[in-house]
């Protein structure tokens, strides 16, 4: 961290200490989590971009990197160097999208490093090639939030426009995955959540519903049914952002119109076939559907999730959203766990009875009562397993049992909830 960035950080932390004087332990943990990402995961590159590793895995995820730097937009309002650090991340994200629009994670250089060599023709830049709708949404979201909250536009370069065109093309193609998509993913390690069925094509979906197909969830686990509703919700939000960006920044009415039309189409599809009736909770949004009438009623800790729809800014039906939230935060959700240490949403990505700090933060960020927000924040602070940082998942009975000791996204989410509790919120 440069001297100027450190001054900006110190000033901000001093301001926060005044607001959080009644919560010194929560403040100390915030300082650790907030400074960790900048100190350990961020590298400025020679081509004026920013590379951000996820933590204990030496690769950059499009999703994680955006979430990791999002809390620093508050500092970007006051500091040009931090603005350019975040803008540099957006530029690198779109550089990667233009290399391979179906990949979810990338290398620092064209090293050929990868999680596994899933495709003999895989780009040496690509760490992993799991197609996830959210991987193409997060870079647009970060670019938009940086513009709206820090008046920064240097992220909107030629690569951004090329990438946007690729994103729209992919989304249109994957609305007709069965007939039009050439994307396949096979991983031959025997772990069923790590590969797609039907020789890499994925479970059969009904084409032409208006929904966008996704091979994998934001957990990097394979979808049970290919229409992942939270990710389609996220697409609706960022397509609205894109419409505004194209209108006001690029003055490209053609792309603005394309974004709006796709946004409206996906939204109508969600509100038509993305929900189903339950005996206990009434009408709810589904986590996944196949378009033929099969629904998966659950939630996963990773964002986008159904729990995060308000956090993302999706214009949901309020009654249905409320019904859905009640389902998600109950044992009707097979990945809701409750124990001596905590209650919250976990994931099939981690063991049973493991709650995720990310999901706890999202629950807090979407609560309407300040008291409930603070209660969740305190529980997060009390479940670090003695490590003083957030983790991926931890056992709801014993927080010393956890996954991923160094997980920057989780640290960022604690920081974001803390800032929210102190009254700091981004314009969306």
């Amino acid at each position: 961290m440069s001297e100027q960035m450190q001054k900006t950080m110190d000033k901000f932390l001093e301001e926060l200490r005044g607001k959080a004087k009644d919560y010194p332990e929560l403040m100390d943990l915030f300082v650790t989590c907030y400074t960790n990402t900048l100190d350990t995961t961020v590298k400025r590159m020679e081509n004026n971009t920013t590379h951000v590793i996820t933590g204990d895995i030496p690769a950059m995820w499009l999703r994680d990197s955006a979430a990791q730097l999002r809390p620093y937009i508050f500092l970007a309002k006051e500091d040009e160097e931090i603005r350019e650090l975040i803008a540099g991340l957006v530029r690198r994200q779109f550089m990667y999208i233009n290399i391979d629009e179906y990949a979810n994670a990338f290398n620092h250089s064209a090293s050929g490093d990868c999680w596994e060599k899933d495709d003999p023709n895989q780009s040496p830049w690509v760490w992993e090639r799991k197609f996830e709708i959210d991987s193409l949404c997060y870079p647009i979201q970060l670019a938009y939030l940086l513009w709206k909250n820090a008046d920064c536009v240097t992220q909107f370069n030629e690569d951004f426009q090329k990438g946007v065109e690729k994103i729209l093309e992919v989304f249109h193609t994957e609305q007709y995955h069965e007939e039009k998509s050439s994307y396949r993913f096979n991983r031959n390690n025997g772990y069923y959540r790590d590969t797609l069925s039907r020789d890499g094509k994925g479970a059969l979906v009904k084409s032409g519903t208006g929904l966008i197909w996704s091979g994998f969830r934001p957990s990097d686990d394979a979808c049970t049914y290919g229409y992942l509703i939270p990710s389609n919700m996220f697409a609706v939000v960022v397509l609205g952002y894109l419409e505004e960006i194209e209108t006001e920044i690029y003055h490209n009415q053609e792309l603005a119109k394309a974004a709006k039309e796709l946004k409206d189409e996906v939204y109508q599809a969600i509100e038509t076939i993305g929900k189903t009736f339950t005996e206990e909770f009434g009408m709810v949004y589904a986590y996944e559907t196949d378009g033929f009438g099969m629904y998966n009623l659950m939630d996963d800790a990773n964002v986008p999730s159904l729990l995060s729809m308000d956090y993302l800014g999706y214009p949901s039906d309020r009654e249905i959203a409320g019904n859905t939230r009640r389902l998600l935060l109950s044992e009707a959700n097979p990945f809701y766990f409750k124990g001596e240490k905590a209650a919250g949403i976990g994931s099939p990505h981690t063991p049973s009875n493991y709650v995720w700090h990310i999901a706890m933060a999202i629950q807090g960020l979407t609560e309407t009562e300040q008291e409930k927000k603070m209660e969740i924040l305190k529980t997060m602070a009390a479940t670090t397993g003695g490590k003083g940082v957030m983790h991926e998942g931890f056992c709801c009975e014993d927080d010393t049992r956890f996954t991923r000791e160094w997980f920057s996204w989780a640290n960022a989410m604690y920081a974001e909830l803390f800032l929210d509790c102190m009254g700091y919120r981004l314009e969306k």
Side-chain angles (χ1 to χ4, degrees):
M1 195 182 303
S2 72
E3 184 178 346
Q4 179 55 47
M5 286 172 63
Q6 188 65 60
K7 286 181 180 179
T8 303
M9 176 72 78
D10 290 344
K11 181 181 177 183
F12 187 55
L13 295 180
E14 184 180 354
E15 179 182 307
L16 276 170
R17 286 191 189 281
K19 294 178 181 292
K21 58 181 181 297
D22 295 332
Y23 309 103
E25 297 87 359
L26 299 181
M27 179 67 202
D28 288 345
L29 181 55
F30 169 78
V31 172
T32 299
C33 290
Y34 198 58
T35 56
N36 176 267
T37 292
L38 288 184
D39 289 342
T40 64
T41 68
V42 176
K43 183 176 181 180
R44 294 303 303 270
M45 309 301 290
E46 291 180 0
N47 64 349
N48 202 27
T49 65
T50 305
H51 189 82
V52 182
I53 63 170
T54 186
D56 54 8
I57 302 174
M60 175 172 139
W61 265 253
L62 295 175
R63 168 187 56 254
D64 294 41
S65 59
Q68 286 167 251
L69 292 200
R70 174 177 165 138
Y72 301 106
I73 293 176
F74 294 104
L75 296 181
K77 295 177 182 180
E78 309 297 332
D79 191 296
E80 182 180 1
E81 191 174 350
I82 295 174
R83 280 198 300 277
E84 275 304 299
L85 188 78
I86 302 172
L89 172 59
V90 175
R91 290 192 289 269
R92 192 164 191 85
Q93 289 171 327
F94 277 91
M95 180 190 87
Y96 285 149
I97 289 168
N98 286 318
I99 290 171
D100 188 341
E101 63 271 34
Y102 277 93
N104 59 320
F106 295 84
N107 292 313
H108 176 271
S109 61
S111 63
D113 294 338
C114 57
W115 185 268
E116 287 194 31
K117 193 71 173 178
D118 303 304
D119 182 346
N121 299 316
Q122 186 166 301
S123 167
W125 284 98
V126 171
W127 172 267
E128 191 171 55
R129 197 173 189 260
K130 289 180 173 178
F131 174 61
E132 302 158 357
I133 293 171
D134 67 277
S135 293
L136 299 180
C137 292
Y138 270 101
I140 297 174
Q141 181 202 52
L142 184 62
Y144 180 87
L145 294 177
L146 185 61
W147 170 38
K148 284 296 179 179
N149 291 275
D151 197 28
C152 180
V153 296
T154 60
Q155 66 272 32
F156 299 122
N157 59 4
E158 186 178 343
D159 270 355
F160 184 93
Q161 281 296 74
K162 288 180 181 176
V164 160
E165 290 173 1
K166 284 180 177 287
I167 290 169
L168 291 174
E169 182 180 355
V170 168
F171 283 175
H172 282 297
T173 297
E174 297 307 332
Q175 286 181 303
Y176 295 86
H177 175 72
E178 194 65 24
E179 296 84 5
K180 296 183 178 181
S181 179
S182 61
Y183 175 79
R184 302 290 184 272
F185 188 92
N186 282 298
R187 179 168 289 173
N188 300 313
N189 63 5
Y191 185 54
Y192 76 96
R193 288 197 299 267
D194 239 8
T195 192
L196 297 182
S197 61
R198 293 199 304 151
D199 197 28
K201 197 170 186 177
L204 181 67
V205 294
K206 182 178 180 181
S207 288
T209 63
L211 294 172
I212 304 165
W213 177 88
S214 188
F216 293 86
R217 301 168 178 171
S219 61
D220 299 334
D221 291 341
C223 292
T224 300
Y225 303 125
Y227 293 135
L228 182 57
I229 299 304
S231 289
N232 274 268
M233 290 174 165
F234 196 12
V236 167
V237 175
V238 300
L239 286 166
Y241 290 165
L242 184 56
E243 179 189 358
E244 191 174 343
I245 290 166
E246 293 300 332
T247 300
E248 297 193 22
I249 301 295
Y250 289 100
H251 309 293
N252 188 321
Q253 294 306 317
E254 184 179 349
L255 276 180
K257 182 173 181 286
K260 182 184 187 307
E261 288 176 350
L262 183 55
K263 175 192 70 175
D264 292 344
E265 191 174 345
V266 177
Y267 173 75
Q268 288 302 322
I270 292 170
E271 296 301 316
T272 303
I273 65 170
K275 55 192 182 184
T276 190
F277 186 78
T278 67
E279 186 87 16
E280 184 175 358
F281 300 97
M283 191 66 74
V284 298
Y285 289 107
Y287 186 70
E288 294 167 341
T289 183
D290 61 358
F292 292 112
M294 297 295 287
Y295 293 96
N296 187 6
L297 300 185
M298 56 164 279
D299 207 17
D300 190 284
N302 293 270
V303 182
S305 58
L306 288 175
L307 191 66
S308 71
M309 68 177 87
D310 287 349
Y311 168 78
L312 296 173
Y314 178 73
S316 62
D317 179 296
R318 299 316 299 158
E319 181 179 354
I320 297 174
N323 294 344
T324 306
R325 187 179 181 87
R326 287 192 297 114
L327 183 155
L328 303 179
L329 298 175
S330 77
E331 292 181 355
N333 173 10
F335 300 101
Y336 178 81
F337 305 114
K338 188 174 184 178
E340 182 180 338
K341 291 290 185 177
I345 296 174
S347 173
H349 196 71
T350 48
S352 181
N353 290 318
Y354 273 51
V355 173
W356 282 45
H357 282 128
I358 288 174
M360 294 178 70
I362 289 296
Q363 184 181 344
L365 287 162
T366 53
E367 288 285 359
T368 56
E369 297 178 19
Q370 181 72 7
E371 184 177 340
K372 290 183 178 179
K373 289 176 181 285
M374 288 299 303
E375 181 181 337
I376 292 169
L377 187 70
K378 290 175 181 177
T379 303
M380 291 178 71
T383 51
T384 69
K387 299 296 183 179
V389 290
M390 297 295 109
H391 304 303
E392 183 185 55
F394 66 92
C395 179
C396 62
E397 299 288 356
D398 177 7
D399 61 301
T400 64
R401 293 159 55 196
F402 57 81
T403 58
R404 299 191 68 175
E405 187 163 334
W406 180 22
F407 189 33
S408 182
W409 185 11
N411 286 331
M413 292 307 302
Y414 173 85
E416 196 163 338
L417 178 57
F418 178 90
L419 289 169
D420 183 275
C421 288
M422 296 301 119
Y424 294 85
R425 298 179 180 93
L426 294 175
E427 178 188 344
K428 300 178 184 177

